[in-house]
Amino acid sequence: MFLDKLLPKTVLQKLTYCVLSGLLLALAWPTYGFPLLLFLGFVPLLLVEYQLLLENKKSSVVLGYAFTTFLVWNSITTFWIYYSTAFGMVFALLVNSLLMSLVFFLFHKVHHWSHNNRIAYIFLVGCWIGFEYMHLHWEFSWPWLNLGNGFATYYQWIQWYEYTGTFGGTLWVWLVNLLIFFSLMATQPKRINILRAMAVSFVLLPIGVSYLIFPDYASAEAKEEYIETLILQPNINPYTEKYNTTDKRVGDLLLKLTEEKITSNTQLILAPETVFADGTNIDSWSFSVAKRQVEELKNKYPNTAFIGGISFYKLIKDEAKIEKQTNFARPGLWFNDYNSAIAVVPGREDDFYHKSKLVVGVENFPYQDWLKPILGNVMIDLGGTVAMKTTQPERSVFELTDQTKVAPIICYESVYGEYVGGYVNNQAQILAIITNDAWWEDTQGHQQHLSYARLRAIEHRRAVVRSANTGISAGILPNGEITQKLGYEKQGSLLVNLPLENKITFYARFGDYIARIGIFLAIFSFLLALSQKLRDKKIK
């Protein structure tokens, strides 16, 4: 009787449930939300799907209702893309909501085919995990709303991410949602109580374990090894100043900010993404204005290394050397465009790293072999430049004078856990994130981006030094705790002491293994349900 009253019967009731799911997911999200709501977020939508199953509705109907949920969630949490471009926001909201809805579309089909609810719900969890994994690897990559990211500001709860990565959080969310949903579906009091107790236990036990294993980094100086880093935040407006100033002026500003707080113990100066934005020919780096500016810093502070961002290009006149990511300039001339990090280290040759996880549209024309003949050179502008960036295959690290190894992570790359693990497995002892988060103005965009850096710290047990042009520059301990930060539209610097680590975590070693298991289970359960459908059809 209770279940009959609980299930939404009318179209209005179903839409209300879908909106409620979207609101719960949105209100759980960093950095303003309370993540306990994630454990309830899918329950109303699951009730809608079950009612539609009883009504024998087609999967296309489920697609529409699910789209309502995910459009609400996406709109509230990522509306800030609008400040970069209205079209980019609309595209991101609609496409990501549709992709999320397709998971429920497939789930409803499997639910129809299978006579075993367990198979259907195993498929749902595995398929959702597969969707998130796809979002980490395909060319339309947008993993911003992967469920495991939702606990980023409650870092005390998720210290076990060093074993599971964020997919452990995704699995956690789905298991609790399903236990609550099953408790609502149950009719026997004993079973209801067991399921409720299991749901509470599944929430509390991982949090309890997290507090038990919480590592103490209260004093970086207490560590045998630590690095003193000067983090610079020049606060150059990307719309009105960044591409209208010069590398000479930027270099003078960096020197001024450096002189404010640098000490004789400072081992690293960290400047933000594309801080030198004039566009420097990589083959002429040694003679460039940016090089001279960095050399001035190096000469004044000869024991301190410098890492910062730069816009590089490389001219190509030989058609045989054109790559997939090469841009056409004019007949007979092409160029590679790089969003790069430079390391100028005393006693060593200058080193470069080229950003390789690219922002869709702005830096990467996805599936251009298919789409370019249809769309021409149109690209989706999500803020910044619109040239195809050239990447590099390996996650190289910068080695400082004292043999300290630093991971140069550029902006969007910090959202990818297994990808950052590539630096750690190449012996990086600290994660240096350089970014420019001012495209989205003072919204949740730059705050969420900072919070995701805490996830990388926990997963790999590496301290993070983060330099934002504007946004939030910060020092983050390997347990996710922020030691110091400099807020949005603040010009200045931070002097931080952070520990160096050599431990390789379970997650860093094995990566997104939960996702690979989830994909296998999704395929297996799909085939089981399909075989049941074929048997039923044969019997008829």
Side-chain angles (χ1 to χ4, degrees), residues 221-420:
E221 289 81 356
K223 289 283 296 181
E224 186 176 339
E225 293 183 282
Y226 67 93
I227 181 171
E228 181 176 285
T229 303
L230 183 64
I231 302 171
L232 306 182
Q233 183 165 300
N235 190 37
I236 301 170
N237 189 297
Y239 291 108
T240 61
E241 297 178 76
K242 187 174 178 66
Y243 298 99
N244 296 314
T245 187
T246 65
D247 285 352
K248 174 67 169 65
R249 291 176 182 170
V250 168
D252 291 342
L253 175 58
L254 295 182
L255 181 60
K256 174 180 175 290
L257 294 175
T258 297
E259 290 172 339
E260 292 176 358
K261 292 184 180 177
I262 194 168
T263 75
S264 58
N265 294 321
T266 303
Q267 297 157 269
L268 174 63
I269 299 169
L270 186 67
E273 177 188 16
T274 58
V275 69
F276 294 111
D278 274 356
T280 301
N281 188 333
I282 195 169
D283 293 327
S284 303
W285 157 249
S286 298
F287 312 104
S288 67
V289 174
K291 168 68 171 176
R292 289 199 298 272
Q293 292 300 113
V294 176
E295 282 294 316
E296 188 175 347
L297 269 174
K298 180 180 173 182
N299 293 335
K300 196 161 186 177
Y301 306 104
N303 297 318
T304 305
F306 174 87
I307 294 175
I310 188 168
S311 294
F312 271 138
Y313 68 88
K314 181 181 180 67
L315 296 176
I316 300 172
K317 298 180 180 179
D318 183 355
E319 190 171 357
K321 294 182 180 179
I322 294 175
E323 305 172 48
K324 180 181 178 182
Q325 296 171 316
T326 299
N327 298 275
F328 175 78
R330 58 178 170 78
L333 184 64
W334 299 263
F335 68 97
N336 288 338
D337 192 31
Y338 304 94
N339 182 346
S340 303
I342 54 173
V344 178
V345 180
R348 296 183 182 274
E349 290 187 6
D350 298 344
D351 203 359
F352 309 131
Y353 168 77
H354 305 306
K355 182 180 180 183
S356 298
K357 276 292 186 183
L358 304 177
V359 180
V360 176
V362 179
E363 300 175 317
N364 175 36
F365 195 146
Y367 302 108
Q368 61 171 315
D369 291 342
W370 297 348
L371 296 180
K372 197 167 184 178
I374 302 171
L375 300 177
N377 288 318
V378 173
M379 300 185 76
I380 305 159
D381 180 10
L382 296 181
T385 61
V386 289
M388 184 78 169
K389 300 297 182 185
T390 302
T391 61
Q392 65 177 64
E394 74 282 355
R395 308 283 67 75
S396 55
V397 299
F398 292 152
E399 191 168 315
L400 306 189
T401 51
D402 60 352
Q403 306 302 307
T404 299
K405 294 182 175 63
V406 179
I409 303 168
I410 302 176
C411 191
Y412 195 47
E413 294 179 324
S414 64
V415 182
Y416 298 81
E418 188 175 60
Y419 181 91
V420 170

Side-chain angles (χ1 to χ4, degrees), residues 24-66:
L24 287 170
L25 293 168
L27 293 174
W29 211 250
T31 59
Y32 52 80
F34 186 47
L36 276 182
L37 296 176
L38 287 173
F39 298 121
L40 299 168
F42 289 102
V43 172
L45 181 59
L46 289 169
L47 289 168
V48 171
E49 188 279 332
Y50 188 79
Q51 176 62 32
L52 293 173
L53 182 74
L54 295 178
E55 295 172 2
N56 201 29
K57 296 291 186 181
K58 294 180 178 180
S59 298
S60 57
V61 178
V62 173
L63 184 69
Y65 283 113

Side-chain angles (χ1 to χ4, degrees), residues 21 24-25 35-46 121 124-125 147 151 169-184 199 202-203:
S21 262
L24 287 170
L25 293 168
L36 276 182
L37 296 176
L38 287 173
F39 298 121
L40 299 168
F42 289 102
V43 172
L45 181 59
L46 289 169
Y121 291 109
L124 172 60
V125 176
L147 290 172
F151 301 96
T170 297
L171 182 60
W172 190 27
V173 167
W174 271 112
L175 288 177
V176 177
N177 269 275
L178 288 175
L179 285 170
I180 293 172
F181 171 70
F182 292 152
S183 72
L184 296 175
F202 271 53
V203 171

